[in-house]
Amino acid sequence: KLGGKISQILAEGQIVPSEVTVELLLNAMKEQEGPFIIDGFPRNLENLDAYEKQGGDCEFILFFELEEEEMCKRCLERGETSGRSDDNIETIKKRFRTFREQTMPVIDDLEKRGLVRRVSATASPDGVFKLVKPHFEELLCGRD
């Protein structure tokens, strides 16, 4: 039931309600020892608020910078082999609009708090990994 609802929301390029997302995250996190990397979250200020109230503060947000044209190209290429129903031009455009309207305010808010780390994603996957790795080494070294 929950899976079908989530699939329909994603197909429309919209964001899953915060209470559902946070519940899924917290349940999964209870089963493992952290720290955790949560991909694609928070997607809006409501997500951020719910997570901070229920799950604590984040260490940082990793923000990959890439032009929309290149992101679209990469998503369409991924769709050729991924089997994802949302990797089509219509849904991708909706996701970009949703990102600009709902997710960028999260980035702006967290940037004001000094929690955003920006990384250029224009390079190859290996090149981007080299840029990302130091952020996590710093985090993990501080936990020893």
Side-chain angles (χ1 to χ4, degrees):
K1 179 181 173 183
L2 187 59
K5 181 179 178 181
I6 291 171
S7 294
Q8 181 180 1
I9 292 167
L10 293 176
E12 291 298 318
Q14 296 298 308
I15 295 174
V16 175
S18 295
E19 61 274 5
V20 174
T21 304
V22 171
E23 180 181 350
L24 291 170
L25 282 173
L26 294 178
N27 287 342
M29 291 167 72
K30 287 177 188 174
E31 298 173 8
Q32 302 291 323
E33 185 177 332
F36 299 97
I37 298 172
I38 305 172
D39 181 28
F41 184 85
R43 292 188 183 245
N44 60 31
L45 291 170
E46 181 185 330
N47 280 174
L48 177 62
D49 184 58
Y51 183 75
E52 289 180 337
K53 285 181 179 174
Q54 298 175 42
D57 294 326
C58 69
E59 296 284 335
F60 64 89
I61 294 288
L62 192 62
F63 184 77
F64 292 98
E65 296 180 310
L66 191 64
E67 296 294 325
E68 280 189 15
E69 183 178 324
E70 180 63 20
M71 284 189 279
C72 185
K73 177 182 163 207
R74 291 180 185 187
C75 287
L76 291 172
E77 287 173 2
R78 177 182 69 184
E80 293 173 6
T81 58
S82 71
R84 286 182 54 153
S85 62
D86 62 339
D87 278 342
N88 61 72
I89 193 68
E90 295 82 18
T91 303
I92 290 168
K93 286 181 180 180
K94 290 177 187 177
R95 289 189 342 229
F96 287 159
R97 184 176 56 249
T98 299
F99 179 82
R100 284 189 303 273
E101 294 171 357
Q102 296 186 34
T103 306
M104 278 309 296
V106 172
I107 302 305
D108 295 340
D109 180 77
L110 292 174
E111 194 148 44
K112 289 175 189 170
R113 300 191 221 173
L115 296 174
V116 175
R117 300 183 186 185
R118 293 177 178 267
V119 173
S120 172
T122 58
S124 67
D126 287 339
V128 174
F129 178 75
K130 287 178 185 174
L131 297 172
V132 167
K133 190 175 174 183
H135 296 286
F136 292 98
E137 289 173 340
E138 175 186 319
L139 175 68
L140 295 173
C141 288
R143 293 189 185 272
D144 291 339

